[in-house]
Amino acid sequence: MPRASQSFSVVLGVLFLAATTQAKSTAQAPQRPGFVRLDRVTASRPLPNGIEIHSGPAVLQITALRDDVLRMRVGPAGQLPEDASWAVLPTARTSSVNVTQETSNGTTGFKTAKLRIAIHRDPLEIRITDLDGHVIAEQFPDRPIEYHGAAFRVYMRSPFDEHYFGLGDKPGPLDRRNEAFNDWNTDAFGWQESTDPIYKSIPWFLTFHQGVAAGIFLDNTWRASFDFNKEYRDAYSFGSENGPLDCYIVYGPEPKSVVQSWTWLTGTTPMPPLWAFGYQQSRYSYYPEAEVRRIAARLRSEHIPADVIWLDIDFQLKNRPFTVDPERFPTFDQMIKDLRAQHLRTVVITDLHIADLPNSGYKPYDEGAAGDHFVKNPDGSTYVGVVWPGKAVFPDFTHQPSREWWGTLYADFVAKGVAGFWNDMNEPAIFEVPSKTMPDNVQHRIKEPGFASRNANHLEIHNVFGMQNTRGTYEGLLKLQPDNRAFVMTRASYAGGHRYAATWTGDNSATWNHLRQTIPQLLNLGLSGFSMAGADVGGFAGSPQPELLTRWLELAAFQPIDRDHTAKGTNPQEPWENGTPEDLDLRRHYIEERYRLLPYIYTTAEEMSRTGVPIMRPLFLEFPNAASGQQAVDPTIDNEFLFGPDLLVAQGQYPDEVDDLFVSLPPGGWFDYWSGARIDGTGSRRNIDNSVSPPTGVHLHRSLATLPVFARAGAIVPQQPLVQSTEEKPEGPLTLRVYPPDAFNQDCKGSIYVDDGTTFAFRNNAFHRENFTCRLTPQGLIVAVTAAEGTYPPWWKLLSVEVYGAGKAAAEASYSALDGSGSANLSTSYDPEHHRITALVPDNGKGVELKLSY
């Protein structure tokens, strides 16, 4: 054999031997320092609630918290990470159910009453299915979990028709497929559709495949990243540069069940005060005091319903938090009282940076320094950064005593009657540095029940810093006013931060594209726990065109939080500004409609506070399946949404287009909310073979005057007479808008929930709830109202029952009280323009039934 061929053969033999040896020994020892690959099972042992796997030096544990919730933890060096969480509630994190072990020659694993976990031994691959065989999560072949030093990554198989949602308010489409994101809270003024990261880190996402939904949460506060089909077209992945691989897998199969389980893990949104759902007026900034009073007076003189005026940083003395500028606001205390007399509450900003002012009589600094409450440099000195007041120091919010001290700073404002607080700049944002935030090596003290007490650098705490800031605010307010519902607004947060604060989408822009972005951002926030959310109406950066402001105010009337806000230097954008008298009329009309819908909105909010189901919902959340098992609606639709369970709101895919609009409508019948007419030929149809045809929709001519809104057939939507604030008692009957069911769906229901709107007395049965049903009969329709629950007295004694879709007047009408206290024939009215029959029915809270014959 020639010498060259001999050498080549030797090389091939060496390479083959090396490759074989590597394949056999990879799991036993790292190939290089800091590298660990979990590529085959070297040992396993059953656990009562799951299984423990060893792969060389690494340990992996999968346990069942519930039959539909799993937890996966990995320790690359044989020891699991600390069992602690800022996000997951202790009761959920420590829950456990017994499982049934399952082992075969090639796999090991277990099953619960809903899920099966199979771990292939060699190669190590995890596959999670439901008991019907639907794949919930499955490792991507040939990409095992790997650690490169402290960094890790997990790859999962991605079917071509699977969709992904969540991650908070990341810009971009509703569906995260073909997108990639980083979690690192960032002050992102002027963000655009491609900007990432922005303000919040919520490492939780939903998967949705052929009608089956699941959720995955990476509980890791370090910088993390998520890739949906960018690196591999048939895989998604997630990982972090450091910290624990502590992952939760949640099974539906319905999307709504996944959201409810997320709430079980991370907690519910507290019941907000009623006034939080009123219209709110803000800008950066309203000053001096005379300007605030002028805005309040104009809101009332223009008869624009409103509940809140916000004060940005210019009300403070030299931008120092927890101060008031005595020259700009000489009678601040009286101003707060005078606004309340006009039924307007005040929300003020309290940024988390404390001006670095030793020996100056500045209470927040003096108390914070004396109590050792500020974040430190590695050498033990206090960290100082530049923000709005100039040099500033920062409370150490992961240190429980410091967080509790922060809460006491609100006592003065609370005593003055300030109603709510705005925690901004809490990424934390720092000026004059390229990173826009604290140095990586800044030290935070962790002193918190459930955590080992230790110091942590900023890389670990950064993403949770804003959340713990709002926690300090929220818990402090509850201590100051234990009977009052606290209202806190935050810009930055982490998973579970919805327990402490509402949020908004940050410094958006006055552009048509940002109006378009509003819907998918708020939908994904709701799926991530932050149902109490809004976007700056009209846009923050820049000045909107008149039509843009009008359309934005129309859309915002159907969002959880409706706040008009803009930046310093922009044109005024209150409803009476930047437009014609006709624009003002339209803007007022939509704000008024929001106030009429307050009973429906508040009832939906109460559901949110119990279940976690958001107020603003993507279509697939309510319509995950058609009867044939196929998806009932396109889950990627992001220019339509459900406002509560029964109202569908749509804007054009590109809201500045002038072309006619096609609105996709889910299965079942629908009514035009404005005209009351039944939409003909829409929704899915049941075919002779019992299959279901695809959903259809309706073509509309685009109009500035009309935002397309539809009511679901079978819905009963409560409304109230118009008021100018939530504090004003409605005068007149409670209206029930009844949209009769159709042959496709016989279900017909609705409800109303009311309480005092401000306290926690509802926990002691001081609320009022009535449930409504309707059913079709050969003669017409029967509407029933159940006996009321709770002890709170409602404001109405009479129901105005409006039945829509009517083609003619009612022939007969009668009511009967369910407690036997009375019955009578009724007169009705018929409105052909709005296709409705109206009857007035007494409501004594003990139940009543209305019969209509056509």
Side-chain angles (χ1 to χ4, degrees), residues 667-701:
W670 292 88
F671 292 78
D672 185 303
Y673 177 80
W674 304 111
S675 73
R678 189 184 290 268
I679 304 299
D680 293 327
T682 62
S684 297
R685 299 181 304 278
R686 190 173 296 281
N687 302 320
I688 295 175
D689 63 357
N690 208 37
S691 65
V692 174
S693 64
T696 56
V698 59
H699 288 275
L700 300 173
H701 181 66

Side-chain angles (χ1 to χ4, degrees), residues 253-318:
E254 300 83 7
K256 194 177 288 187
S257 297
V258 175
V259 173
Q260 291 171 327
S261 294
W262 174 240
T263 298
W264 178 78
L265 279 173
T266 59
T268 58
T269 298
M271 185 63 182
L274 175 60
W275 58 261
F277 297 102
Y279 175 71
Q280 306 182 31
Q281 190 63 58
S282 181
R283 76 166 290 128
Y284 171 38
S285 282
Y286 285 136
Y287 71 91
E289 183 180 314
E291 176 65 3
V292 179
R293 292 178 180 274
R294 184 188 73 82
I295 294 294
R298 189 71 183 269
L299 285 167
R300 293 300 178 229
S301 68
E302 294 286 358
H303 300 288
I304 296 170
D307 270 83
V308 186
I309 291 181
W310 292 61
L311 299 183
D312 212 319
I313 60 174
D314 289 298
F315 86 94
Q316 301 168 139
L317 178 63
K318 299 181 179 179

Side-chain angles (χ1 to χ4, degrees), residues 8 80 93 145 154 156 162 184 194 205 218 285 311 325 355 361 381-382 393 458 566 591 639 722 783 803 809 851-852:
F8 183 68
L80 292 173
R93 185 171 47 81
I145 297 171
V154 178
M156 307 298 285
E162 187 164 79
W184 183 253
S194 59
F205 60 92
L218 175 62
S285 282
L311 299 183
D325 187 325
S381 61
T382 298
V393 295
H458 188 67
T566 187
I591 294 171
N639 65 314
L722 180 63
V783 179
V803 178
K851 293 182 180 180
L852 290 175

Side-chain angles (χ1 to χ4, degrees), residues 679-827:
I679 304 299
D680 293 327
T682 62
S684 297
R685 299 181 304 278
R686 190 173 296 281
N687 302 320
I688 295 175
D689 63 357
N690 208 37
S691 65
V692 174
S693 64
T696 56
V698 59
H699 288 275
L700 300 173
H701 181 66
R702 192 182 300 267
S703 165
L704 179 61
T706 305
L707 175 71
V709 181
F710 303 89
R712 192 201 305 225
I716 302 178
V717 177
Q719 282 193 330
Q720 69 181 25
L722 180 63
V723 294
Q724 293 300 301
S725 82
T726 59
E727 208 165 38
E728 182 183 337
K729 180 181 177 180
E731 295 293 335
L734 173 71
T735 296
L736 301 184
R737 297 181 64 147
V738 179
Y739 299 95
D742 58 12
F744 185 87
N745 179 17
Q746 290 291 316
D747 192 30
C748 178
K749 61 185 179 181
S751 64
I752 186 169
Y753 171 91
V754 295
D755 58 28
D756 66 19
T758 57
T759 76
F760 295 106
F762 64 87
R763 295 174 178 171
N764 297 316
N765 209 39
F767 63 86
H768 182 93
R769 189 195 309 275
E770 292 181 15
N771 296 311
F772 320 120
T773 60
C774 79
R775 66 183 188 274
L776 296 171
T777 70
Q779 294 74 34
L781 184 74
I782 297 176
V783 179
V785 180
T786 64
E789 304 171 37
T791 61
Y792 185 76
W795 50 263
W796 69 90
K797 297 294 182 183
L798 196 64
L799 300 175
S800 177
V801 180
E802 299 179 349
V803 178
Y804 285 85
K808 60 182 180 180
E812 293 180 349
S814 64
Y815 87 93
S816 58
L818 298 185
D819 66 350
S821 60
S823 62
N825 292 328
L826 296 171
S827 61

Side-chain angles (χ1 to χ4, degrees), residues 8-156:
F8 183 68
S9 297
V10 171
V11 170
L12 282 177
V14 171
L15 289 174
F16 175 79
L17 179 62
T20 304
T21 303
Q22 177 179 344
K24 291 180 178 179
S25 63
T26 296
Q28 281 85 350
Q31 294 173 304
R32 56 185 181 273
F35 177 79
V36 176
R37 172 181 287 164
L38 283 73
D39 59 357
R40 69 186 183 96
V41 176
T42 56
S44 66
R45 70 181 180 95
L47 302 172
N49 62 339
I51 193 167
E52 182 174 287
I53 296 294
H54 289 264
S55 182
V59 59
L60 179 152
Q61 227 181 58
I62 303 177
T63 55
L65 308 186
R66 291 189 334 197
D67 290 322
D68 55 355
V69 179
L70 306 175
R71 186 183 185 191
M72 182 178 78
R73 302 167 66 207
V74 177
Q79 183 176 352
L80 292 173
E82 181 184 9
D83 190 2
S85 177
W86 298 105
V88 179
L89 300 175
T91 52
R93 185 171 47 81
T94 58
S95 291
S96 178
V97 295
N98 290 330
V99 304
T100 301
Q101 299 294 324
E102 294 187 328
T103 302
S104 68
N105 290 335
T107 65
T108 186
F110 63 90
K111 71 174 182 177
T112 73
K114 294 185 177 181
L115 297 173
R116 174 170 279 114
I117 295 83
I119 303 169
H120 196 269
R121 295 178 181 274
D122 191 3
L124 192 166
E125 291 178 356
I126 302 168
R127 190 171 191 259
I128 302 171
T129 66
D130 65 16
L131 299 188
D132 293 326
H134 298 113
V135 176
I136 307 307
E138 182 178 18
Q139 275 190 267
F140 190 56
D142 303 320
R143 289 309 308 258
I145 297 171
E146 289 184 354
Y147 281 80
H148 295 262
F152 63 85
R153 195 147 201 92
V154 178
Y155 288 84
M156 307 298 285

Side-chain angles (χ1 to χ4, degrees), residues 524-607:
N524 274 317
L525 273 170
L527 293 174
S528 305
F530 280 90
S531 180
M532 285 298 294
D536 284 346
V537 177
F540 181 72
S543 301
Q545 303 161 28
E547 182 181 344
L548 174 58
L549 179 58
T550 299
R551 289 195 182 275
W552 213 320
L553 281 163
E554 291 175 353
L555 182 68
F558 299 91
Q559 293 176 180
I561 293 177
D562 185 3
R563 182 183 76 149
D564 181 331
H565 184 60
T566 187
K568 184 172 287 190
T570 62
N571 295 331
Q573 65 182 48
E574 293 79 25
W576 55 84
E577 301 282 3
N578 191 19
T580 65
E582 290 75 19
D583 284 310
L584 173 57
D585 289 341
L586 282 176
R587 297 164 186 175
R588 182 192 294 111
H589 166 69
Y590 278 85
I591 294 171
E592 288 177 342
E593 195 63 27
R594 179 181 181 86
Y595 275 74
R596 291 188 179 96
L597 276 170
L598 279 173
Y600 174 76
I601 298 171
Y602 197 63
T603 301
T604 305
E606 193 273 336
E607 177 194 8

